[in-house]
């Protein structure tokens, strides 16, 4: 069978526990800061021939859930060790495959016994003032009770997010503030990640905040001196250049037309520009948001006619505006009409601080002029760009985990407590010395090894006493994927390698299975 790498064990150990600390990967003169098991595995060279299987599975899980990748990696590692011991003891592979899957399904069927209800945690039934504040008979003169109720709700939300983030204080405060702003005056739990965008800035961490509206950053900009009384905004998904239209939207094709000056008095580009100018004037456009590049003559026209122009806007930012306003973006400017114009938006320039100045960047704050629909921008700041990217990724981990919890309205006890409960459950079912009991003990040992790792990390961090929460959906899928990887590895009886002499050097390449 395959030897288990000490590097993998060290990697898993470093990610288990209440706080997912930073990892630095040094490669020659470059270094990378990561806080995600999947990213660390990509940056780490391992000698295990099945490394690519684990990496691909982690990538798929990470794309779907953005969390619980540590559980997947750890349970694969632990169950792989336990099942390898069973094979060495002479137990048959078909029995291991059949019984292990059956035992895991039994665990999942009993998991509801320890699931926590999110709504009960946010809106405790014992809090009379909270129930009173949402009653239609509530007296508006009782200001003190209303303030206390608001604080209680805020404290409950912050407590849930902090435990769900496993003590990641850098991001839990921002996520709880975002969730609090999204709350309405009902008992419904609402958290929408679709109406949120990130704006990372290389500023001190203290400037991180939640801003209502959509912050758009672009290097190419123009802004009129006077205030805009009425905003007529147009979103262009493509580029405002003649070549972009002339060659069908592809920027990778070069077209050269050779004509003598006497043969033509006006080029196609000039004719196209004139049509663009006429359309902008006809539609009274005074704000243009463009995903691609913009022709220099159109830039000059916008400057001369007080049109605010922002180009090179990420499509994710423009898409959230279009989805919020329930409109479709236009790929070509000349295809636009009155239906494509957005007018129910409030626009103004935005600066993160009074002292912040930059000659290259301009920021536009776009707010939807509606109480029922709101956008939020998370301004995530750190002076180090590498660490800022790490924070951005970790923030989305927490957002994804919270979104899954809100949708299912269920949580699991964290800090290894769920795995400990699963271990005890399996041991109760695994009585005797038969094959089913032996495989059950292997499953249970994998769970308890997970708990042991977490327990040791908790012992090292005395200030973390509040416990933690985990998401049900992503953790269950992590267990299923981990078991699938182990079973696939056990079912491969031969590995073909094209350079057996260098197998231990890490330079060998896997070319197939039998």
């Amino acid at each position: 069978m395959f030897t288990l790498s000490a590097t993998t064990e060290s990697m898993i150990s470093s990610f288990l526990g209440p706080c997912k600390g930073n990892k630095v990967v040094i490669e020659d003169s470059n270094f990378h800061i990561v806080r995600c098991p999947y990213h660390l595995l990509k940056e780490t060279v391992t000698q295990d021939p099945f490394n690519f299987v684990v990496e691909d599975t982690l990538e798929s899980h990470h794309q779907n859930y953005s969390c619980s990748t540590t559980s997947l990696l750890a349970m694969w590692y632990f169950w792989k060790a336990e099942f390898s011991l069973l094979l060495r003891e002479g137990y048959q592979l078909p029995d291991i495959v059949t019984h292990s899957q059956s035992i895991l399904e039994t665990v999942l069927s009993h998991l509801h016994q320890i699931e926590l209800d999110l709504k009960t945690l946010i809106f405790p039934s014992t809090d009379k003032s909270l129930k009173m504040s949402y009653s239609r008979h509530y007296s508006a003169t009782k200001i003190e009770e209303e303030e206390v109720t608001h604080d209680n709700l805020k404290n409950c939300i912050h407590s849930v997010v902090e435990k769900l983030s496993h003590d990641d204080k850098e991001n839990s405060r921002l996520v709880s503030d975002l969730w609090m702003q999204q709350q309405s005056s009902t008992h419904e739990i609402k958290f929408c990640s679709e109406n949120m965008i990130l704006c990372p800035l290389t500023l001190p961490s203290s400037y991180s905040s939640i801003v209502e509206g959509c912050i758009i950053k672009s290097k190419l900009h123009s802004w009129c001196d006077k205030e805009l009384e009425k905003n007529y905004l147009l979103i262009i998904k493509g580029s405002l250049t003649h070549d972009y239209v002339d060659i069908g939207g592809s920027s990778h094709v070069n077209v050269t037309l050779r004509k003598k000056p006497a043969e033509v008095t006006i080029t196609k580009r000039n004719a196209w520009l004139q049509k663009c100018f006429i359309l902008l004037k006809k539609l009274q456009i005074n704000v243009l948001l463009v995903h691609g590049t913009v022709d220099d003559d159109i830039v000059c026209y916008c400057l001369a006619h007080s049109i605010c122009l922002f180009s090179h806007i990420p499509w994710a930012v423009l898409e959230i505006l279009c989805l919020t306003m329930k409109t479709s973006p236009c790929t070509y400017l000349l295809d636009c009409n009155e239906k494509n114009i957005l007018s129910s938006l409030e626009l103004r320039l935005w600066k993160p601080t009074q002292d912040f100045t930059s000659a290259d960047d301009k920021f536009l704050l776009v707010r939807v002029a509606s109480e029922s629909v709101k956008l939020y921008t998370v301004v995530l700041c750190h002076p180090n760009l590498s660490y800022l990217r790490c924070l951005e990724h970790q923030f989305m981990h927490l957002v994804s985990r919270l979104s899954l919890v809100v949708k299912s309205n269920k949580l699991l006890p964290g800090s290894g407590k769920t795995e400990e409960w699963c271990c005890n459950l399996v041991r109760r079912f695994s009585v005797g010395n038969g094959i089913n009991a032996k495989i059950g003990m292997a499953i249970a040992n994998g769970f308890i090894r997970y708990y042991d790792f977490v327990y040791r990390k908790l012992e090292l961090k005395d200030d973390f006493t509040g416990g933690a929460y985990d998401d049900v959906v992503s953790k269950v899928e992590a267990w299923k994927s981990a078991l699938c990887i182990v079973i696939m590895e056990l079912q491969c009886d031969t590995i073909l390698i094209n350079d057996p002499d260098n197998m231990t050097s890490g330079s060998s390449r896997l070319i197939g299975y039998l």
Side-chain angles (χ1 to χ4, degrees):
M1 297 309 296
F2 313 108
T3 58
L4 300 179
S5 170
T7 304
T8 306
E9 182 175 353
S10 176
M11 182 191 305
I12 294 171
S13 176
S14 66
F15 277 109
L16 291 177
C19 186
K20 312 301 188 275
N22 298 305
K23 315 294 180 294
V24 177
V25 181
I26 300 176
E27 182 180 2
D28 298 329
S29 58
N30 300 322
F31 73 96
H32 309 276
I33 301 177
V34 296
R35 204 187 285 187
C36 172
Y38 167 61
H39 284 177
L40 183 59
L41 191 66
K42 290 181 64 176
E43 299 291 342
T44 306
V45 178
T46 62
Q47 299 178 8
D48 193 336
F50 278 93
N51 175 58
F52 81 100
V53 178
V54 179
E55 184 177 325
D56 287 349
T57 306
L58 281 176
E59 181 181 15
S60 176
H61 185 88
H62 186 271
Q63 289 178 350
N64 289 327
Y65 304 105
S66 295
C67 52
S68 294
T69 48
T70 305
S71 295
L72 199 163
L73 186 63
M75 295 313 300
W76 158 76
Y77 180 82
F78 299 144
W79 282 336
K80 177 180 177 180
E82 295 296 327
F83 291 154
S84 298
L85 290 175
L86 289 180
L87 287 177
R88 293 193 188 102
E89 294 176 5
Y91 290 93
Q92 298 299 312
L93 180 59
D95 293 331
I96 295 176
V97 172
T98 302
H99 291 298
S100 62
Q101 291 177 328
S102 175
I103 292 170
L104 183 59
E105 289 299 327
T106 301
V107 171
L108 300 182
S109 66
H110 288 78
L111 207 58
H112 64 89
Q113 298 177 13
I114 59 170
E115 288 176 349
L116 305 173
D117 185 81
L118 176 64
K119 191 172 183 179
T120 303
L121 296 173
I122 300 298
F123 302 108
S125 58
T126 57
D127 192 342
K128 297 181 180 179
S129 61
L130 182 62
K131 296 177 67 175
M132 182 178 179
S133 66
Y134 293 126
S135 171
R136 58 196 176 99
H137 303 294
Y138 177 70
S139 174
T141 59
K142 299 182 180 180
I143 301 177
E144 293 184 0
E145 289 188 20
E146 185 177 8
E147 292 177 350
V148 172
T149 299
H150 180 272
D151 290 339
N152 288 341
L153 178 60
K154 184 176 181 180
N155 291 336
C156 290
I157 285 178
H158 182 72
S159 176
V160 169
V161 173
E162 188 174 32
K163 293 180 180 181
L164 196 62
S165 69
H166 297 183
D167 205 32
D168 181 9
K169 290 183 172 59
E170 291 178 288
N171 290 316
S172 60
R173 178 186 62 83
L174 289 174
V175 173
S176 59
D177 289 346
L178 174 63
W179 195 9
M180 191 67 191
Q181 290 190 37
Q182 291 184 358
Q183 287 293 310
S184 59
S185 57
T186 65
H187 281 292
E188 297 181 20
I189 299 176
K190 294 182 179 180
F191 181 79
C192 182
S193 58
E194 288 75 16
N195 65 345
M196 177 211 73
I197 63 171
L198 283 179
C199 180
L201 298 176
T202 52
L203 292 173
S205 301
S206 57
Y207 292 135
S208 298
S209 59
I210 306 297
V211 178
E212 182 186 336
C214 180
I215 296 177
I216 297 175
K217 175 183 175 182
S218 177
K219 294 184 180 299
L220 178 61
H221 59 272
S222 63
W223 187 268
C224 59
D225 296 332
K226 62 181 180 179
E227 295 183 0
L228 300 177
E229 296 180 357
K230 187 67 175 178
N231 297 316
Y232 293 101
L233 183 144
L234 199 59
I235 294 177
I236 304 296
K237 186 177 181 181
S239 295
L240 292 185
T241 61
H242 178 252
D243 290 341
Y244 182 83
V245 179
D246 192 44
I247 60 178
S250 175
S251 58
H252 302 289
V253 181
N254 295 323
V255 178
T256 303
L257 301 177
R258 295 183 178 180
K259 293 185 178 182
K260 295 180 180 180
E263 293 180 359
V264 60
T265 58
I266 183 169
T267 65
K268 290 184 178 180
R269 174 179 173 275
N270 289 338
W272 173 79
L273 284 172
Q274 290 300 320
K275 292 180 181 178
C276 291
F277 299 157
I278 294 173
L279 181 62
L280 290 173
K281 184 177 181 180
K282 175 184 176 182
L283 298 178
Q284 298 180 329
I285 301 299
N286 52 13
V287 181
L288 267 175
L289 302 181
V290 184
H291 174 53
T293 58
V294 182
D295 190 285
D296 290 340
D297 287 337
I298 293 183
V299 174
C300 295
Y301 179 87
C302 291
L303 286 170
H305 293 79
S306 300
I307 298 178
C308 174
L309 171 64
F310 279 71
S311 67
H312 301 94
I313 307 299
W315 170 237
V317 177
L318 296 180
E319 185 179 28
I320 193 174
L321 276 174
C322 294
L323 291 175
T324 303
M325 302 304 296
K326 298 180 180 180
T327 185
S328 300
C330 216
T331 304
Y332 304 107
L333 176 61
L334 295 183
D335 292 337
C336 297
N337 53 39
E338 289 80 0
K339 296 180 180 180
N340 302 111
I341 299 176
L342 301 177
S343 58
S344 57
L345 298 171
E346 300 174 359
L347 308 168
R348 64 179 177 87
L349 284 176
W350 179 83
K351 290 184 179 180
T353 67
Q354 295 295 330
D355 301 329
F356 178 79
T357 57
S358 175
D360 298 328
D361 299 330
K362 277 286 186 179
F363 297 88
L364 178 69
L365 178 61
V366 182
R367 287 182 175 175
V368 180
S370 171
E371 288 297 324
S372 59
V373 179
K374 288 187 178 181
L375 296 175
Y376 297 94
T377 298
V378 180
V379 183
L380 202 59
C381 302
H382 196 276
N384 183 279
L385 183 58
S386 298
Y387 190 73
L388 178 61
R389 291 170 180 167
C390 180
L391 282 177
E392 185 178 0
H393 184 81
Q394 191 71 8
F395 181 87
M396 293 310 300
H397 270 221
L398 180 52
V399 167
S400 299
R401 190 181 296 116
L402 180 58
S403 298
L404 290 170
V405 167
V406 170
K407 289 179 181 178
S408 65
N409 194 36
K410 297 176 182 178
L411 302 98
L412 286 174
S415 303
K417 295 178 182 178
T418 295
E419 284 75 12
E420 182 187 28
W421 181 88
C422 292
C423 172
N424 296 331
L425 176 69
V426 176
R427 284 177 175 175
R428 288 200 302 269
F429 290 132
S430 304
V431 180
N433 296 319
I435 179 64
N436 194 18
K438 273 287 186 178
I439 297 173
M441 290 304 297
I443 293 288
N445 290 340
F447 279 125
I448 203 62
R449 288 186 65 182
Y450 186 100
Y451 171 78
D452 288 340
F453 268 73
V454 175
Y455 183 77
R456 289 201 299 269
K457 301 290 280 188
L458 288 174
E459 288 291 302
L460 296 175
K461 189 173 176 59
D462 297 332
D463 61 332
F464 185 79
T465 58
Y469 296 143
D470 286 327
D471 167 55
V472 178
V473 176
S474 62
K475 173 152 283 195
V476 166
E477 291 302 320
W479 292 345
K480 290 180 179 179
S481 298
L483 188 59
C484 285
I485 297 176
V486 175
I487 290 175
M488 190 207 70
E489 290 186 59
L490 297 179
Q491 289 175 330
C492 293
D493 62 356
T494 305
I495 300 177
L496 301 182
I497 300 176
N498 64 346
D499 193 1
D501 296 334
N502 295 326
M503 181 175 178
T504 58
S505 65
S507 61
S508 58
R509 290 183 297 157
L510 186 67
I511 62 174
Y513 308 109
L514 288 180

